[in-house]
Amino acid sequence: EVQLVESGGGLIQPGGSLRLSCAASGFSVSSIYMSWVRQAPGKGLEWVSIIYTGGSTDYAGSVKGRFTISRDNSKNTVFLQMNTLRVDDTAVYYCARGLGALDTWGQGTLVAVSS
Amino acid sequence: IQMTQSPSTLSASVGDRVNITCRASENISMWVAWYQQKPGRAPKLLIYRASTLETGVPSRFSGSGSGAEFTLTISGLQPDDFSTYYCQQYNSYSFGQGTKVDIK
């Protein structure tokens, strides 16, 4: 069964750093594009970042230069390193897989940025 | 690429046919997906490549359009369909603002 499980969320002060993990099972994270999507409380979906099968990456303008997506093929896990966190980064962060459309999503992990 | 989704809220009854529209700020061919999201849950893929139904999704859901205008249609609304729906273009991955379908 294809499954994604996120972890690493929590409460963090503005300016802090956090690393999210997305553990995959049932497929290889190196064989398909992997994305992070976030949803602020009561708001819509916002695409955050993607890592392509070749290893190249892309980011939304709101996080470029602060967030870094990566993967560890040996652990079949994708990461999102989030630095210089701001209050408006508060959201549920989902990882998802797909070569365009996102066909499998994790349950999400909550990141709360507050002093 | 911006995706403008309308309406933001839609009130309907069981059995109704409903249409949700997304307009792209430029031509995106057929690179559009539609998702359903229930409160507290992750989104679920319904349709990809504008009109292809994801495996296991009921046939009352359909998608149409190409270029810059796209429509999600639910033919015969069921109680389980009262949710929020999002379009997404996957040229550069942005989402529409969402449409909440609630009970009239």
Side-chain angles (χ1 to χ4, degrees):
Chain A
E1 180 192 4
V2 172
Q3 193 173 13
L4 297 169
V5 178
E6 301 96 334
S7 60
L11 177 62
I12 187 80
Q13 292 189 337
S17 297
L18 211 54
R19 189 176 84 154
L20 305 183
S21 299
C22 171
S25 56
F27 73 101
S28 169
V29 297
S30 62
S31 67
I32 197 165
Y33 305 168
M34 295 294 297
S35 292
W36 287 94
V37 175
R38 69 184 181 183
Q39 187 168 36
K43 302 297 184 183
L45 301 172
E46 180 187 15
W47 174 79
V48 172
S49 182
I50 189 168
I51 184 165
Y52 297 100
T53 49
S56 59
T57 59
D58 202 1
Y59 300 91
S62 58
V63 306
K64 193 172 290 186
R66 300 188 298 124
F67 290 12
T68 302
I69 190 172
S70 62
R71 69 185 183 217
D72 183 330
N73 295 338
S74 67
K75 296 181 179 178
N76 212 30
T77 298
V78 176
F79 303 99
L80 186 68
Q81 177 67 42
M82 304 186 295
N83 298 331
T84 320
L85 281 161
R86 310 187 302 218
V87 171
D88 63 359
D89 293 318
T90 294
V92 173
Y93 284 73
Y94 297 100
C95 72
R97 73 162 208 172
L99 290 171
L102 302 171
D103 64 9
T104 304
W105 297 62
Q107 84 287 352
T109 187
L110 176 63
V111 173
V113 185
S114 174
S115 54
Chain B
I1 299 173
Q2 307 298 319
M3 296 295 279
T4 302
Q5 187 173 341
S6 61
S8 56
T9 305
L10 190 161
S11 295
S13 301
V14 172
D16 283 354
R17 176 186 176 98
V18 302
N19 291 306
I20 299 169
T21 298
C22 263
R23 287 186 174 85
S25 57
E26 59 186 81
N27 188 323
I28 54 172
S29 185
M30 296 184 71
W31 304 124
V32 163
W34 291 93
Y35 303 87
Q36 176 192 60
Q37 187 181 33
K38 296 182 181 292
R41 304 287 298 274
K44 172 189 173 183
L45 177 64
L46 299 175
I47 287 168
Y48 61 95
R49 211 180 297 131
S51 60
T52 304
L53 205 62
E54 174 72 343
T55 303
V57 173
S59 58
R60 62 181 179 273
F61 292 92
S62 63
S64 62
S66 65
E69 186 157 338
F70 303 88
T71 300
L72 172 70
T73 299
I74 310 172
S75 301
L77 202 63
Q78 296 299 301
D80 189 52
D81 300 338
F82 292 99
S83 303
T84 301
Y85 295 86
Y86 295 92
C87 62
Q88 181 204 20
Q89 58 84 15
Y90 44 98
N91 268 15
S92 57
Y93 303 102
S94 58
F95 289 87
Q97 301 92 328
T99 296
K100 183 176 181 180
V101 178
D102 62 20
I103 300 173
K104 185 186 290 184

